[in-house]
Amino acid sequence: MVRNARDLFTPTVPSKRLDPQFRAVAEGASHEAARTLLNAIFENFRDVDGNFVKEFQSSGFSARVFELALFAYIEERNLQLDRTEPAPDFVVRGDNPVAIEVTTTNPAQGTPIDLLPSNWLLPHDLDSADQEFVFQLGKALRRKLIHRDAKGHAYWEKPHVEGVPFVIAVGAFHGTHAQFHVEGLLAKYLYGIDQEFSHDGAGDLTITQHDVVEHHWKTKSIPSALFKLPEAADLSGVLFSNSHTMSKFNRIGIEQGLGNTETALARLGTCYDYTPNSTTPSQFAYVVGDRPEDDLEDFSEGLHLFINPWARVPLNPVSLPGVTSHNLRESNGLLEATFPTGFRPFLSKTFVFNGANAKLFARYCQQDFLGLLKPGSPSFGELMGNMSREKTEGGS
């Protein structure tokens, strides 16, 4: 394959400094679609500080992937982007401007990344993982709120964005299962509100809401309702995703026909149930490439915009079209979400298969998750285990 002029995957740092995740993506057939799509997007990306490729290949791999995914969303929606200044990361101009600074949660320094977790979806201790998720997001958000440049300016005080609504975009990458957690946990922290869903005697959905004062993790605690705190008065909103990862680039690339013919992906997870009065998500599973032409995955899918109703500079949700927006109802103070039409996943896991029978394995994985296998058929896990044992016993 001919390399383009701005290739993200030709190493520019010493081999020992390459991120293991970067190595996994840069080598082999599994991520050919992602590599091709990433390079195509990067062609139009302005590297304002000149460090993007180095960080992408080394210490900032996940953060740079998240940043490129947000750039792809802005391009996809034909928003008027201003990248003349290095910070904030993205400034959208036009009738509904918004300034966006990007951040991520990250593993503690020296923590090894498990590229192939044995438990594909669930953390070992779900309650503790939920608590850590809130703490990590809170730390990442507060770090941006207290940041000041050499002139003492906060992000929203810089002359080129003065008076423009300020949004922090945050992605979770602090551990193997960081993307498992859904946006509801972040909403609880931002608004200081917890909700319970039930049905009344007529079967209609009822929502009860109560205040949350603080969040705990291990021996630590932080106050809830970040949006209400004085330090967040200039934070107009928070943009969050648990799906703007390398897997998204791989799936979209496959849908665009960029991958090789012996790679297949199966995506499994949960999604929004549009059934009236539903209180639980639906399960979904599909082989990438099966979605209809009018509902292919895009970069707005999976983005959640939380609007701060107490911000000094109000944010109009139309500033970032195509995303799910969250806000408090003026009438009763209930936290509500406005979903764009179409498929809206909450969380998912993408399995990658290679070889002549890749599509068959992806289909088997899908059917197992949906409970569609014939009675007596081995589960997908059992099938993989049997094949692994046969390979080992055969000595190949």
Side-chain angles (χ1 to χ4, degrees):
M1 183 178 71
V2 177
R3 301 280 190 179
N4 65 37
R6 304 186 72 207
D7 181 33
L8 285 164
F9 297 96
T10 298
T12 60
V13 300
S15 177
K16 64 181 181 181
R17 291 179 53 200
L18 292 176
D19 185 281
Q21 297 173 98
F22 168 79
R23 285 184 183 274
V25 173
E27 301 168 359
S30 297
H31 291 87
E32 181 177 327
R35 292 195 299 270
T36 305
L37 181 59
L38 278 160
N39 271 334
I41 291 169
F42 188 60
E43 278 293 300
N44 297 324
F45 181 87
R46 183 178 180 185
D47 184 6
V48 291
D49 58 15
N51 295 321
F52 191 91
V53 174
K54 180 181 71 174
E55 293 176 356
F56 177 82
Q57 296 180 359
S58 56
S59 60
F61 175 77
S62 295
R64 300 290 79 80
V65 169
F66 184 58
E67 187 176 346
L68 268 183
L70 294 177
F71 173 74
Y73 158 73
I74 291 170
E75 277 210 319
E76 183 179 79
R77 290 286 163 170
N78 295 314
L79 301 179
Q80 183 182 336
L81 181 61
D82 177 1
R83 292 269 288 175
T84 56
E85 299 289 337
D89 292 306
F90 302 117
V91 179
V92 175
R93 302 296 185 185
D95 294 336
N96 295 285
V98 59
I100 305 171
E101 177 63 17
V102 181
T103 191
T104 56
T105 68
N106 304 302
Q109 190 170 5
T111 302
I113 298 297
D114 185 359
L115 298 177
L116 295 170
S118 58
N119 188 339
W120 74 270
L121 187 60
L122 289 172
H124 174 69
D125 185 337
L126 181 56
D127 288 340
S128 179
D130 283 347
Q131 294 165 6
E132 181 185 10
F133 173 77
V134 172
F135 264 74
Q136 293 284 359
L137 288 179
K139 181 171 69 174
L141 292 170
R142 293 193 304 272
R143 185 171 61 241
K144 290 297 183 179
L145 289 175
I146 66 174
H147 172 81
R148 298 296 183 269
D149 64 15
K151 296 181 179 179
H153 292 154
Y155 289 106
W156 56 87
E157 294 173 333
K158 295 178 183 293
H160 67 291
V161 293
E162 194 170 356
V164 173
F166 174 67
V167 168
I168 299 176
V170 61
F173 296 91
H174 54 271
T176 300
H177 296 98
Q179 285 87 45
F180 167 81
H181 307 281
V182 295
E183 73 283 348
L185 292 169
L186 176 58
K188 187 185 299 187
Y189 168 64
L190 294 175
Y191 296 97
I193 288 172
D194 195 12
Q195 292 183 327
E196 295 179 358
F197 301 90
S198 59
H199 295 98
D200 61 20
D204 293 326
L205 179 66
T206 62
I207 302 174
T208 56
Q209 193 164 276
H210 63 269
D211 293 339
V212 177
V213 177
E214 59 185 3
H215 300 270
H216 300 272
W217 178 49
K218 296 183 177 179
T219 60
K220 306 173 184 177
S221 65
I222 54 172
S224 193
L226 175 67
F227 278 159
K228 289 184 179 181
L229 299 179
E231 65 199 75
D234 294 287
L235 178 61
S236 301
V238 169
L239 186 65
F240 168 77
S241 171
N242 63 359
S243 66
H244 282 59
T245 64
M246 188 58 67
S247 290
K248 177 178 276 287
F249 285 99
N250 219 19
R251 293 192 303 266
I252 293 178
I254 290 286
E255 287 185 337
Q256 293 181 4
L258 302 179
N260 68 78
T261 57
E262 292 195 350
T263 296
L265 312 180
R267 188 185 187 193
L268 324 175
T270 61
C271 61
Y272 183 71
D273 185 351
Y274 286 91
T275 305
N277 297 317
S278 174
T279 60
T280 57
S282 296
Q283 287 190 329
F284 75 87
Y286 65 87
V287 175
V288 175
D290 282 358
R291 286 174 65 163
E293 286 293 326
D294 61 351
D295 191 32
L296 296 179
E297 184 171 2
D298 59 22
F299 284 97
S300 66
E301 182 180 294
L303 284 173
H304 292 263
L305 178 62
F306 299 91
I307 296 171
N308 183 357
W310 303 284
R312 286 195 182 97
V313 181
L315 173 65
N316 189 332
V318 303
S319 299
L320 298 173
V323 309
T324 300
S325 62
H326 303 255
N327 204 353
L328 299 181
R329 287 184 192 169
E330 292 186 7
S331 59
N332 56 13
L334 283 179
L335 178 62
E336 65 176 355
T338 302
F339 290 86
T341 57
F343 176 65
R344 290 290 142 179
F346 287 123
L347 61 91
S348 69
K349 176 72 175 181
T350 302
F351 288 87
V352 184
F353 303 90
N354 286 302
N357 296 315
K359 201 69 171 280
L360 292 176
F361 284 116
R363 187 73 63 199
Y364 200 96
C365 180
Q366 173 207 23
Q367 291 177 346
D368 183 27
F369 187 77
L370 296 177
L372 300 178
L373 294 179
K374 294 179 181 179
S377 298
S379 69
F380 175 73
E382 290 170 340
L383 180 67
M384 293 294 100
N386 291 339
M387 291 183 62
S388 178
R389 283 192 293 272
E390 291 173 3
K391 184 176 181 180
T392 301
E393 291 165 2
S396 59

